[in-house]
Amino acid sequence: MSLARPGLSAARLPVALLAAALLAPLAACSSGTTETTGTTGAGDAKGTSAAATASPGAGDRPVTVAVTPAGNQVPAGGPVRVTAIGGTLTSVTVTAADGRTLPGEVAADGRTWTSGRKAAPGAAYEVRTATRSAGGTAGSSTAAFTTAPAGKVNKVDWRPGGATTVGIAQPISLVFDHPVRNRAEVEKQLKVTTSNGTEGSWGWLRDWSGRDRVDWRPRTYWKPGTRVTLEAELNGTDSGPDGGGWFVRDYRTAFTIGAGQVVKVDLDRHRLSLVRDGKTLRRIPVSGGTPGGDKRSWRGTAVLMAKEGTINMNSETVGLGNAYDKMVDHSMRLTWSGMYAHAAPWNAKFFGRSNQSSGCIGMSDADAAWFYAQVRPGDPFEITGRDTKGVVAPGNGFGAWNLSWAEWQERSALR
């Protein structure tokens, strides 16, 4: 999956260039704060990189600017703070080596500025300030600092991809390479925007792969036509004390909700119905998982994860010994554990009559070809039946819809 929008660069300046850039502004640094004083020259006697745009008037004292953090290889993960002593800040710009800036705001009293984003690991920043003294004299100053590189990086795999149209049950799903213990801080950086104010919540769960995962789902199915954007501003956030690592980039995805389409699967009646905008388009005879053992199907709401076409299905990969090993057409994945809807011509005599599959929902070649062309990832499959393995778990594909809204909200780290 392509990277939709990188965050602040984690790259550092070449050693020689960085040393030259930082030598003057850091010569007068304390252990954690750089102080610069506006003057009429290119720099003061202490070697600070500061310059004022006008000389102070008689009795008017220059403004001193303090920047935190300060120095070289300082810890990342905190905001940048700028304080004016003896005057006010009129503007502050914090720029990384790649040209991207940290946004921030000057306080109401004009004396402090705090970045809204954290300093990322392995980055070099320049801080430029404009000030005004008590007597009205304008001045400016410059400081710089670098952050220590990340010892370990945590990456993200996410769904859905950008510029796609998905079904009404599609969640936003982020799976992390390493454990996330600082969940509340991570969740604060995840911003979902919708075109119609859709209510929803993040929920933490264990992915089928065993990795940490967080999903955002609406309270009810999406309204068709909704436009959705995720801004995951994770750059500079630490995963937590267990060594999960730093996030060193941001993530973004935007997608649109398609038709109001629901697939209703009645395993007791051996029938699948495709319902679009409240109208049943077709009823298809099917055969589900064989009752009484490990070959039973799951029930509850599963979400179409992907249309995989013709694939090899081997029962040994799902713990069923050597029951089957064959190429299967029109394969549509419903769970990570291996439940699909697909063409199953070898089971033709059971369609509409009994459940005799190894857990999947099988249908004829003709019905599967038509059905495959109609559905899209994110469409919900609402599966009912008396003899099943149980309800699809939240982390087994996109099973969050099998939890009540209250249960889902409890999984947020911000509750």
Side-chain angles (χ1 to χ4, degrees):
M1 192 169 296
S2 64
L3 305 184
R5 178 174 69 82
L8 295 175
S9 171
R12 289 180 289 162
L13 295 174
V15 173
L17 179 59
L18 183 60
L22 296 182
L23 179 59
L26 296 180
C29 290
S30 65
S31 60
T33 300
T34 296
E35 291 190 1
T36 61
T37 303
T39 71
T40 57
D44 61 19
K46 296 180 181 178
T48 57
S49 178
T53 58
S55 298
D60 191 10
R61 302 183 65 180
V63 179
T64 299
V65 176
V67 177
T68 305
N72 195 17
Q73 302 286 294
V74 299
V80 178
R81 294 184 173 90
V82 180
T83 303
I85 302 168
T88 58
L89 299 165
T90 56
S91 72
V92 177
T93 303
V94 180
T95 308
D98 67 350
R100 297 183 181 273
T101 59
L102 287 181
E105 294 184 356
V106 176
D109 64 4
R111 298 185 183 279
T112 60
W113 179 96
T114 305
S115 66
R117 297 294 307 275
K118 302 167 184 174
Y125 292 97
E126 181 182 69
V127 183
R128 292 184 175 272
T129 60
T131 60
R132 190 168 300 280
S133 69
T137 302
S140 63
S141 64
T142 303
F145 67 92
T146 65
T147 54
K152 186 176 184 180
V153 173
N154 204 347
K155 297 180 181 179
V156 180
D157 180 26
W158 73 96
R159 296 185 183 219
T164 57
T165 299
V166 296
I168 59 175
Q170 176 70 53
I172 301 170
S173 185
L174 306 179
V175 181
F176 303 95
D177 276 6
H178 303 302
V180 178
R181 296 295 175 262
N182 198 4
R183 292 181 172 184
E185 190 62 28
V186 168
E187 193 174 325
K188 288 177 184 177
Q189 314 308 316
L190 308 178
K191 299 176 175 61
V192 177
T193 304
T194 70
S195 59
N196 54 16
T198 302
E199 181 185 7
S201 176
W202 290 102
W204 290 85
L205 57 152
R206 178 72 65 178
D207 186 65
W208 188 258
S209 66
R211 295 181 292 171
D212 283 347
R213 172 176 145 193
V214 64
D215 287 5
W216 195 96
R217 53 151 277 203
R219 181 169 188 165
T220 59
Y221 290 156
W222 294 102
K223 181 179 178 180
T226 302
R227 298 183 301 278
V228 188
T229 301
L230 166 69
E231 299 278 355
E233 297 181 337
L234 292 171
N235 193 11
T237 302
D238 188 5
S239 298
D242 66 341
W246 288 90
F247 296 98
V248 297
R249 56 155 291 187
D250 294 338
Y251 300 83
R252 183 183 189 276
T253 188
F255 56 95
T256 303
I257 306 303
Q261 191 160 262
V262 178
V263 181
K264 296 183 179 292
V265 182
D266 187 336
L267 294 175
D268 294 333
R269 301 176 70 180
H270 321 296
R271 186 173 73 184
L272 175 155
S273 301
L274 179 60
V275 180
R276 182 181 299 158
D277 299 325
K279 179 181 178 181
T280 300
L281 301 187
R282 183 181 291 193
R283 294 184 176 89
I284 297 173
V286 299
S287 180
T290 304
D294 291 339
K295 293 184 178 182
R296 292 174 294 175
S297 299
W298 295 103
R299 71 175 184 274
T301 299
V303 176
L304 178 55
M305 301 178 67
K307 296 165 68 174
E308 298 181 4
T310 300
I311 62 174
N312 175 256
M313 289 191 180
N314 187 321
S315 59
E316 293 182 352
T317 65
V318 292
L320 292 178
N322 60 353
Y324 57 87
D325 184 3
K326 62 182 67 178
M327 301 303 293
V328 180
D329 295 329
H330 306 300
S331 298
M332 295 159 273
R333 180 182 284 274
L334 299 177
T335 70
W336 285 126
S337 62
M339 187 168 76
Y340 285 77
H342 60 75
W346 55 88
N347 255 0
K349 65 181 179 181
F350 301 118
F351 297 151
R353 295 182 174 85
S354 65
N355 295 320
Q356 296 295 324
S357 81
S358 294
C360 295
I361 300 165
M363 62 196 84
S364 71
D365 281 326
D367 283 335
W370 178 88
F371 183 66
Y372 190 90
Q374 302 300 314
V375 296
R376 59 167 44 100
D379 284 346
F381 280 58
E382 297 177 350
I383 306 167
T384 60
R386 290 186 299 272
D387 195 354
T388 64
K389 286 190 286 190
V391 175
V392 178
N396 188 8
F398 300 133
W401 296 102
N402 296 307
L403 299 177
S404 69
W405 178 237
E407 290 171 331
W408 180 249
Q409 287 180 300
E410 287 299 319
R411 289 175 173 256
S412 168
L414 300 178
R415 293 284 172 176

